[in-house]
Amino acid sequence: MAIDLKLVSVFLAVADAKSFRGAAERLGLTHSAVSQAIRRMEDRMGVTLIQRTTRSVSLTEAGMRLYERVGPAVAEVELALDDAQDRGSQPTGLLRLAVSSIAERFISGPLLASFTHAYPGVQVDVNITDEEFDIVAEGYDAGVRLGEVIEQDMIAVPVSGDQRQLVVAAPSYLERFGRPANPSELSRHCCIGWRPAPDVAPYRWEFEENGREFDVAVNPRITTNDMGVMVRTACAGGGVTFGMEETFRPYLDRGELVSLMEDYLPPFPGFFLYFADRRNLPPKLRALVDHVRYRSDRNGNETSFEAG
């Protein structure tokens, strides 16, 4: 049976809006035109798809089955058409990225600079956030986080090599309070902790011994959501803190901080650009993925993996 795809589009608009008027506004049609389109589709199929009352619009059982099967298929067709249309032109539009604070240095700087030079038609909006949310539902094209916390249904591309977390303190602090030899001794020290938000418990420090992973709630005396505060306080002798080696490296090299308990802190997979698993990526996102992969290949990193 041949069905006019324009009628299918009207049906999906009514189903999404749960309203003939809302569908008409979305499609730029009159209320009458929408109603007639649905009636023609139902007449051709010989089944009622939408139950109408004076106060509401709802899908019948047949309408719901059709909506659940046709909706994703039409979305794929629209993406494929957009993809084919944009293949011959430079990507354009706004690319929204949600980046965790500890990953900021891996997505900014040379990577973003070279990307914007290569694709001048793309505007990049980077939101630095440590909140956990669904990037698709919140309208982001992609995000950058540690690989171990990325949802299993996402596709991920590395933007860094393996990473490592360290426990550090200033020499002045160690001279005054001694050097903790293992994680169990941290409870006797003044710790500087991190939390992403005021109503969230402080981050538990993660360690490994003989292949066994464990974490420690250090009950920090100082807690903040700003890594700069943690580093400056530690350098001033304010206590022991925990974070990414990349963050501490300049201070370690200058002798302002000392690394502790390194045997308990092995490397782990680093930061990844991640995005929804879909067949046809928008050209602007595909351009960023290709750019990241190209830079990763040049740096000798793995090119991609499925998270989880």
Side-chain angles (χ1 to χ4, degrees), residues 254-270:
R254 293 195 297 265
E256 297 177 56
L257 294 173
V258 175
S259 179
L260 309 170
M261 297 180 282
E262 291 196 4
D263 290 343
Y264 293 89
L265 297 161
F268 54 86

PDB file of all heavy atoms in Angstrom, residues 254-270:
ATOM      1  N   ARG A 254      58.371  22.011  39.894  1.00  0.00           N
ATOM      2  CA  ARG A 254      59.012  23.140  40.585  1.00  0.00           C
ATOM      3  C   ARG A 254      59.306  22.834  42.050  1.00  0.00           C
ATOM      4  O   ARG A 254      59.892  23.661  42.745  1.00  0.00           O
ATOM      5  CB  ARG A 254      58.114  24.377  40.496  1.00  0.00           C
ATOM      6  CG  ARG A 254      57.964  24.947  39.086  1.00  0.00           C
ATOM      7  CD  ARG A 254      57.382  26.348  39.134  1.00  0.00           C
ATOM      8  NE  ARG A 254      56.040  26.368  39.695  1.00  0.00           N
ATOM      9  CZ  ARG A 254      54.918  26.331  38.969  1.00  0.00           C
ATOM     10  NH1 ARG A 254      55.009  26.235  37.638  1.00  0.00           N
ATOM     11  NH2 ARG A 254      53.740  26.370  39.536  1.00  0.00           N
ATOM     12  N   GLY A 255      58.883  21.677  42.531  1.00  0.00           N
ATOM     13  CA  GLY A 255      59.139  21.315  43.916  1.00  0.00           C
ATOM     14  C   GLY A 255      58.163  21.921  44.900  1.00  0.00           C
ATOM     15  O   GLY A 255      58.358  21.803  46.120  1.00  0.00           O
ATOM     16  N   GLU A 256      57.099  22.551  44.418  1.00  0.00           N
ATOM     17  CA  GLU A 256      56.112  23.141  45.325  1.00  0.00           C
ATOM     18  C   GLU A 256      55.205  22.081  45.932  1.00  0.00           C
ATOM     19  O   GLU A 256      54.620  22.288  47.001  1.00  0.00           O
ATOM     20  CB  GLU A 256      55.264  24.168  44.576  1.00  0.00           C
ATOM     21  CG  GLU A 256      56.052  25.361  44.034  1.00  0.00           C
ATOM     22  CD  GLU A 256      55.175  26.305  43.250  1.00  0.00           C
ATOM     23  OE1 GLU A 256      54.163  26.771  43.809  1.00  0.00           O
ATOM     24  OE2 GLU A 256      55.495  26.585  42.075  1.00  0.00           O
ATOM     25  N   LEU A 257      55.068  20.952  45.255  1.00  0.00           N
ATOM     26  CA  LEU A 257      54.286  19.826  45.754  1.00  0.00           C
ATOM     27  C   LEU A 257      55.103  18.554  45.616  1.00  0.00           C
ATOM     28  O   LEU A 257      55.996  18.461  44.765  1.00  0.00           O
ATOM     29  CB  LEU A 257      52.965  19.681  44.986  1.00  0.00           C
ATOM     30  CG  LEU A 257      51.931  20.799  45.144  1.00  0.00           C
ATOM     31  CD1 LEU A 257      50.761  20.582  44.191  1.00  0.00           C
ATOM     32  CD2 LEU A 257      51.435  20.893  46.585  1.00  0.00           C
ATOM     33  N   VAL A 258      54.770  17.564  46.446  1.00  0.00           N
ATOM     34  CA  VAL A 258      55.442  16.260  46.439  1.00  0.00           C
ATOM     35  C   VAL A 258      54.388  15.185  46.245  1.00  0.00           C
ATOM     36  O   VAL A 258      53.323  15.218  46.882  1.00  0.00           O
ATOM     37  CB  VAL A 258      56.203  16.029  47.759  1.00  0.00           C
ATOM     38  CG1 VAL A 258      56.804  14.627  47.795  1.00  0.00           C
ATOM     39  CG2 VAL A 258      57.278  17.095  47.954  1.00  0.00           C
ATOM     40  N   SER A 259      54.666  14.218  45.369  1.00  0.00           N
ATOM     41  CA  SER A 259      53.731  13.118  45.119  1.00  0.00           C
ATOM     42  C   SER A 259      53.892  12.043  46.183  1.00  0.00           C
ATOM     43  O   SER A 259      55.007  11.677  46.574  1.00  0.00           O
ATOM     44  CB  SER A 259      53.991  12.530  43.728  1.00  0.00           C
ATOM     45  OG  SER A 259      53.120  11.447  43.480  1.00  0.00           O
ATOM     46  N   LEU A 260      52.763  11.481  46.647  1.00  0.00           N
ATOM     47  CA  LEU A 260      52.745  10.494  47.714  1.00  0.00           C
ATOM     48  C   LEU A 260      52.053   9.208  47.258  1.00  0.00           C
ATOM     49  O   LEU A 260      51.174   9.241  46.406  1.00  0.00           O
ATOM     50  CB  LEU A 260      51.987  11.054  48.929  1.00  0.00           C
ATOM     51  CG  LEU A 260      52.408  12.446  49.428  1.00  0.00           C
ATOM     52  CD1 LEU A 260      51.409  12.947  50.464  1.00  0.00           C
ATOM     53  CD2 LEU A 260      53.816  12.407  49.998  1.00  0.00           C
ATOM     54  N   MET A 261      52.431   8.106  47.821  1.00  0.00           N
ATOM     55  CA  MET A 261      51.733   6.819  47.650  1.00  0.00           C
ATOM     56  C   MET A 261      51.534   6.436  46.182  1.00  0.00           C
ATOM     57  O   MET A 261      50.478   5.932  45.789  1.00  0.00           O
ATOM     58  CB  MET A 261      50.376   6.863  48.368  1.00  0.00           C
ATOM     59  CG  MET A 261      50.508   7.042  49.865  1.00  0.00           C
ATOM     60  SD  MET A 261      48.910   7.082  50.723  1.00  0.00           S
ATOM     61  CE  MET A 261      48.358   8.740  50.363  1.00  0.00           C
ATOM     62  N   GLU A 262      52.520   6.654  45.341  1.00  0.00           N
ATOM     63  CA  GLU A 262      52.363   6.387  43.909  1.00  0.00           C
ATOM     64  C   GLU A 262      52.106   4.915  43.604  1.00  0.00           C
ATOM     65  O   GLU A 262      51.478   4.585  42.589  1.00  0.00           O
ATOM     66  CB  GLU A 262      53.596   6.878  43.146  1.00  0.00           C
ATOM     67  CG  GLU A 262      53.720   8.396  43.123  1.00  0.00           C
ATOM     68  CD  GLU A 262      54.700   8.863  42.066  1.00  0.00           C
ATOM     69  OE1 GLU A 262      55.223   8.016  41.316  1.00  0.00           O
ATOM     70  OE2 GLU A 262      54.944  10.076  41.987  1.00  0.00           O
ATOM     71  N   ASP A 263      52.579   4.005  44.455  1.00  0.00           N
ATOM     72  CA  ASP A 263      52.359   2.577  44.219  1.00  0.00           C
ATOM     73  C   ASP A 263      50.884   2.199  44.270  1.00  0.00           C
ATOM     74  O   ASP A 263      50.485   1.142  43.768  1.00  0.00           O
ATOM     75  CB  ASP A 263      53.125   1.742  45.248  1.00  0.00           C
ATOM     76  CG  ASP A 263      54.634   1.815  45.027  1.00  0.00           C
ATOM     77  OD1 ASP A 263      55.038   2.220  43.922  1.00  0.00           O
ATOM     78  OD2 ASP A 263      55.383   1.467  45.964  1.00  0.00           O
ATOM     79  N   TYR A 264      50.065   3.051  44.873  1.00  0.00           N
ATOM     80  CA  TYR A 264      48.634   2.784  44.996  1.00  0.00           C
ATOM     81  C   TYR A 264      47.820   3.451  43.877  1.00  0.00           C
ATOM     82  O   TYR A 264      46.579   3.390  43.900  1.00  0.00           O
ATOM     83  CB  TYR A 264      48.114   3.291  46.350  1.00  0.00           C
ATOM     84  CG  TYR A 264      48.642   2.543  47.548  1.00  0.00           C
ATOM     85  CD1 TYR A 264      49.825   2.945  48.168  1.00  0.00           C
ATOM     86  CD2 TYR A 264      47.970   1.437  48.065  1.00  0.00           C
ATOM     87  CE1 TYR A 264      50.325   2.265  49.275  1.00  0.00           C
ATOM     88  CE2 TYR A 264      48.448   0.756  49.173  1.00  0.00           C
ATOM     89  CZ  TYR A 264      49.628   1.173  49.767  1.00  0.00           C
ATOM     90  OH  TYR A 264      50.124   0.491  50.859  1.00  0.00           O
ATOM     91  N   LEU A 265      48.490   4.080  42.931  1.00  0.00           N
ATOM     92  CA  LEU A 265      47.789   4.903  41.949  1.00  0.00           C
ATOM     93  C   LEU A 265      48.248   4.574  40.523  1.00  0.00           C
ATOM     94  O   LEU A 265      49.018   5.323  39.923  1.00  0.00           O
ATOM     95  CB  LEU A 265      48.028   6.384  42.264  1.00  0.00           C
ATOM     96  CG  LEU A 265      47.469   6.836  43.621  1.00  0.00           C
ATOM     97  CD1 LEU A 265      48.114   8.133  44.079  1.00  0.00           C
ATOM     98  CD2 LEU A 265      45.952   6.999  43.522  1.00  0.00           C
ATOM     99  N   PRO A 266      47.784   3.471  39.951  1.00  0.00           N
ATOM    100  CA  PRO A 266      48.171   3.103  38.591  1.00  0.00           C
ATOM    101  C   PRO A 266      47.442   3.966  37.554  1.00  0.00           C
ATOM    102  O   PRO A 266      46.418   4.599  37.854  1.00  0.00           O
ATOM    103  CB  PRO A 266      47.723   1.645  38.485  1.00  0.00           C
ATOM    104  CG  PRO A 266      46.535   1.577  39.395  1.00  0.00           C
ATOM    105  CD  PRO A 266      46.858   2.485  40.548  1.00  0.00           C
ATOM    106  N   PRO A 267      47.919   3.994  36.306  1.00  0.00           N
ATOM    107  CA  PRO A 267      47.235   4.754  35.253  1.00  0.00           C
ATOM    108  C   PRO A 267      45.923   4.099  34.831  1.00  0.00           C
ATOM    109  O   PRO A 267      45.693   2.913  35.089  1.00  0.00           O
ATOM    110  CB  PRO A 267      48.261   4.746  34.108  1.00  0.00           C
ATOM    111  CG  PRO A 267      49.088   3.535  34.352  1.00  0.00           C
ATOM    112  CD  PRO A 267      49.166   3.374  35.840  1.00  0.00           C
ATOM    113  N   PHE A 268      45.076   4.867  34.182  1.00  0.00           N
ATOM    114  CA  PHE A 268      43.773   4.382  33.710  1.00  0.00           C
ATOM    115  C   PHE A 268      43.407   5.129  32.431  1.00  0.00           C
ATOM    116  O   PHE A 268      43.995   6.181  32.123  1.00  0.00           O
ATOM    117  CB  PHE A 268      42.698   4.590  34.785  1.00  0.00           C
ATOM    118  CG  PHE A 268      42.612   6.006  35.281  1.00  0.00           C
ATOM    119  CD1 PHE A 268      41.834   6.951  34.624  1.00  0.00           C
ATOM    120  CD2 PHE A 268      43.316   6.411  36.415  1.00  0.00           C
ATOM    121  CE1 PHE A 268      41.759   8.251  35.075  1.00  0.00           C
ATOM    122  CE2 PHE A 268      43.246   7.715  36.875  1.00  0.00           C
ATOM    123  CZ  PHE A 268      42.465   8.637  36.199  1.00  0.00           C
ATOM    124  N   PRO A 269      42.429   4.628  31.646  1.00  0.00           N
ATOM    125  CA  PRO A 269      42.031   5.311  30.408  1.00  0.00           C
ATOM    126  C   PRO A 269      41.616   6.753  30.690  1.00  0.00           C
ATOM    127  O   PRO A 269      40.963   7.043  31.697  1.00  0.00           O
ATOM    128  CB  PRO A 269      40.847   4.481  29.894  1.00  0.00           C
ATOM    129  CG  PRO A 269      41.088   3.130  30.458  1.00  0.00           C
ATOM    130  CD  PRO A 269      41.701   3.355  31.813  1.00  0.00           C
ATOM    131  N   GLY A 270      42.005   7.641  29.766  1.00  0.00           N
ATOM    132  CA  GLY A 270      41.837   9.073  30.007  1.00  0.00           C
ATOM    133  C   GLY A 270      40.511   9.644  29.562  1.00  0.00           C
ATOM    134  O   GLY A 270      39.440   9.065  29.776  1.00  0.00           O
TER     135      GLY A 270
END
